[in-house]
Amino acid sequence: WASPAMLLRAHACVVPFRGRSRHELLNELVGWCTAAQPFGARLLTGASGQGKTRLGEELIRRVSAMGWVAGRVVDRPPADALAALAMLDRPVLLVVDEAVARRELLGHLVTTGRSRNQPVRLLLLARATAYWADLPARPQFSSITTAPAGRLEPAEHEPDGRLDAWRDAAVAFASQLAR
């Protein structure tokens, strides 16, 4: 790692993925990905730090192992990224973190995703659903504004569970720092 602070990023996946409800949601999302529909979008909301990004990373890992092309949408994708997406011959999952800030890109992703012969799934991560009502009334946004929405609640509700999670995280970080 370039800096120990990089270990704190959800994308580093240092802390073990935990919580029965998280694993159930992950399994539900895998089922959604593999459903027999050509295109699908889902919105997952939750407060900052609830684990939306980490859940997205776990979904990426899971469907990648099944032969899908899967990854996070970056802030400024290369100009040829949409053309490359259109040419892929495998199912695609794209996780769009902070999706509200990427409205224009979302429109292009939906248009490109709908034109493909292979399945495309967009998992949209945001802090709240309120922002989706403001999307322009263009046809490509209908898949997003009508996408099923779910709310990610805290993984641990009880103090003992939070303490166990903290201990697991401390062990995981310590093992990474020892490398």
Side-chain angles (χ1 to χ4, degrees), residues 119-176:
V120 172
R121 302 292 181 268
L122 296 179
L123 179 61
L124 311 173
L125 307 177
R127 293 194 180 137
T129 58
Y131 303 107
W132 298 105
D134 296 338
L135 282 177
R138 292 186 291 189
Q140 71 263 37
F141 285 114
S142 66
S143 301
I144 296 172
T145 56
T146 60
R151 179 132 182 98
L152 193 61
E153 299 297 334
E156 302 293 342
H157 294 282
E158 300 299 320
D160 286 345
R162 289 192 295 269
L163 182 58
D164 289 343
W166 183 86
R167 286 182 182 136
D168 290 348
V171 168
F173 282 116
S175 70
Q176 288 293 316

Side-chain angles (χ1 to χ4, degrees), residues 24-134:
E24 289 171 356
L25 179 55
L26 178 60
N27 289 335
E28 179 186 324
L29 290 170
V30 169
W32 164 69
C33 284
T34 58
Q37 63 187 41
F39 178 84
R42 282 193 68 170
L43 173 62
L44 182 63
T45 65
S48 181
Q50 291 302 311
K52 301 178 299 292
T53 302
R54 180 58 194 274
L55 180 65
E57 290 293 329
E58 291 297 322
L59 183 60
I60 288 168
R61 287 177 184 216
R62 183 83 65 92
V63 300
S64 292
M66 299 166 56
W68 284 55
V69 174
R72 291 179 287 120
V73 174
V74 297
D75 284 334
R76 292 179 191 89
D80 60 348
L82 290 171
L85 171 63
M87 294 174 30
L88 290 170
D89 63 350
R90 292 189 294 165
V92 172
L93 164 69
L94 297 174
V95 176
V96 185
D97 211 343
E98 307 277 342
V100 172
R102 299 185 172 135
R103 293 176 184 194
E104 195 62 36
L105 178 58
L106 288 177
H108 294 300
L109 290 172
V110 170
T111 300
T112 303
R114 288 188 167 284
S115 70
R116 288 177 27 92
N117 293 327
Q118 293 289 328
V120 172
R121 302 292 181 268
L122 296 179
L123 179 61
L124 311 173
L125 307 177
R127 293 194 180 137
T129 58
Y131 303 107
W132 298 105
D134 296 338

